[in-house]
């Protein structure tokens, strides 16, 4: 046992002597990650300035493009606050321009001098200290845009729903959540309920913002948090697709109507869900499930559309759905639901 004990001691000493993963020079230093919307394209893409100063490293400032609509190609995940107040992204948007280190230092210093303010400040600083970014964004078709103003006294941003779904009046609002602390961007139609969550911004300190920018069915929520001593400031953009939110809203109403036995009302709401966002698989699937009770061919057509969007989701939802009981033995339906053979009769699904 002695050789093993000696080896463990050596390994333990080696681990003890390793340099810390968090740089010592970062102790007590500011952590700043702020984004600013410099312009929007006609399709809702965003030109974004991003400043990062963390871990005691030199500040980094760059101009990036965030995709607005999922249908335009690659989707980019917007940065989100982590437990320590920094931000990260899964797939990083393309970089158009990188500021010099001297320019980044100037911008970082000015931001730190006003970092306690509860409003986003990077856009105003960039406009003065890094005008090249504003010019480059404008040259590429990203027009400057002021935040949309909510209705006075209500805190609501009013919008119109999709024409095919009835162009119903909808409202956006930002609501705080206590556990965990966060700001929620909610979409509602005034018919009750809290609404559909479109975006969530985690809070690690006092609230910064929010600001809301609207363009061609895309909402960009700019918000974050700040705390002092040492400074931790994270302000980021969070994308919300209004068509998807509207589709989810109608789908939720349809499920309520279905549970109450109001099949005609449920069919109408699922139809509105599809009209708002034809790629929303839950709206397509639920419309198919209701149609299966009265119109088998329409049900199969809708189910095929849903499976074309997300076959795995359709198989999970439909494998034991009683609404499709009379159709499961059809080969085309069995294939859509991923059934190699018809399910046995009279045997309940596994828990």
């Amino acid at each position: 046992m002695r050789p093993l004990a000696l080896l463990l001691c050596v390994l333990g000493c080696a681990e003890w002597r390793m340099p810390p993963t968090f740089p010592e020079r970062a102790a007590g230093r500011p952590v700043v990650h702020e984004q600013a919307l410099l312009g929007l394209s006609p399709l809702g893409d965003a030109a974004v300035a991003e400043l990062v100063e963390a871990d005691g490293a030199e500040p980094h400032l760059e101009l990036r493009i965030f995709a607005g609509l999922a249908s335009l190609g690659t989707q980019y995940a917007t940065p989100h606050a982590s437990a320590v107040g920094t931000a990260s992204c899964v797939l990083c948007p393309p970089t158009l321009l990188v500021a010099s280190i001297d320019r980044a230092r100037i911008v970082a210093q000015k931001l730190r001098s006003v970092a306690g303010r509860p409003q986003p400040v990077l856009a105003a600083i960039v406009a003065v200290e890094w005008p090249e970014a504003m010019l480059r964004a404008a040259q590429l078709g990203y027009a400057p845009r002021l935040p949309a103003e909510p209705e006075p006294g209500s805190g609501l941003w009013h919008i119109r729903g999709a024409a095919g779904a009835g162009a119903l009046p909808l409202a956006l609002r930002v609501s705080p959540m206590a556990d965990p602390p966060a700001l929620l961007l909610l979409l509602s139609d005034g018919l009750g309920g809290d609404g559909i969550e479109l975006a969530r911004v985690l809070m690690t300190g006092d609230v910064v913002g929010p600001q809301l920018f609207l363009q061609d069915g895309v909402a960009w929520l700019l918000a974050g948090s700040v705390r002092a001593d040492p400074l931790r400031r994270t302000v980021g953009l969070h994308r919300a697709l209004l068509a998807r939110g509207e589709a989810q809203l109608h789908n939720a109403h349809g499920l309520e109507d279905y549970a109450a036995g109001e099949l005609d009302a449920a069919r109408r709401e699922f139809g509105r869900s599809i009209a708002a966002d034809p790629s929303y698989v839950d709206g397509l699937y639920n419309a198919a499930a209701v149609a299966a009770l009265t119109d088998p061919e329409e049900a199969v057509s809708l189910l095929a559309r849903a499976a074309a969007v997300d076959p795995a989701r359709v198989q999970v939802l439909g494998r034991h759905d009683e609404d499709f009981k009379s159709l499961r033995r059809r080969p085309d339906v069995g294939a859509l639901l991923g059934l190699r053979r018809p399910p046995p009769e009279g045997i309940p699904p596994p828990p």
Side-chain angles (χ1 to χ4, degrees), residues 298-320:
E298 181 187 5
V300 174
S301 175
L302 289 166
L303 192 65
R305 289 175 60 184
V309 175
D310 190 343
R313 176 73 172 158
V314 168
Q315 292 175 15
V316 169
L317 291 173
R319 187 158 298 185
H320 302 292

Side-chain angles (χ1 to χ4, degrees), residues 56-335:
E58 291 283 3
H60 182 79
L61 177 63
E62 60 185 22
L63 174 66
R64 308 166 93 180
I65 297 300
F66 285 8
L69 295 179
S71 61
L72 297 181
T74 304
Q75 296 186 54
Y76 301 104
T78 56
H80 56 275
S82 69
V84 296
T86 58
S88 60
C89 63
V90 179
L91 296 175
C92 291
T95 299
L96 297 181
L97 195 64
V98 178
S100 68
I101 185 61
D102 290 338
R103 186 64 54 190
R105 287 171 180 164
I106 293 172
V107 172
Q109 181 180 12
K110 288 205 167 186
L111 194 154
R112 287 197 306 272
S113 69
V114 294
R117 293 183 181 177
Q119 302 89 16
V121 294
L122 182 59
I125 297 173
V126 166
V128 175
E129 300 297 342
W130 195 34
E132 297 89 345
M134 306 288 292
L135 178 61
R136 182 66 179 275
Q139 289 173 339
L140 294 175
Y142 293 87
R145 178 66 58 85
L146 292 174
E149 292 292 336
E151 181 182 86
S154 70
L156 299 176
W157 290 266
H158 292 287
I159 60 174
R160 278 281 171 186
L168 301 178
L170 304 174
L172 293 162
R173 64 186 173 91
V174 176
S175 176
M177 185 177 74
D179 188 21
L183 290 180
L184 305 181
L185 178 63
L186 302 173
L187 177 69
S188 62
D189 56 8
L191 297 180
D194 293 333
I196 298 297
E197 180 181 326
L198 301 183
R200 176 178 299 205
V201 186
L202 298 180
M203 297 286 108
T204 58
D206 296 331
V207 174
V208 176
Q211 294 179 351
L212 193 66
F213 303 83
L214 301 172
Q215 174 67 37
D216 195 42
V218 183
W220 291 100
L221 176 65
L222 181 62
S225 59
V226 61
R227 56 188 174 90
D229 196 26
L231 174 63
R232 297 290 186 268
R233 181 180 173 96
T234 303
V235 183
L237 279 162
H238 301 259
R239 183 192 66 175
L241 303 181
L242 299 181
R244 175 56 54 89
E246 184 180 1
Q248 292 174 307
L249 192 64
H250 288 303
N251 183 66
H253 289 329
L255 291 174
E256 292 173 358
D257 293 332
Y258 177 85
E262 301 289 340
L263 296 186
D264 288 340
R267 186 177 293 108
R268 180 184 66 247
E269 288 300 322
F270 294 140
R272 286 175 173 173
S273 177
I274 296 171
D277 185 353
S279 66
Y280 180 49
V281 66
D282 283 32
L284 288 164
Y285 174 84
N286 289 326
V290 172
L293 303 177
T294 58
D295 190 338
E297 295 308 318
E298 181 187 5
V300 174
S301 175
L302 289 166
L303 192 65
R305 289 175 60 184
V309 175
D310 190 343
R313 176 73 172 158
V314 168
Q315 292 175 15
V316 169
L317 291 173
R319 187 158 298 185
H320 302 292
D321 192 333
E322 286 297 307
D323 290 335
F324 290 103
K325 182 177 180 179
S326 63
L327 299 178
R328 277 199 199 96
R329 292 186 178 278
R330 288 181 48 160
D332 53 351
V333 174

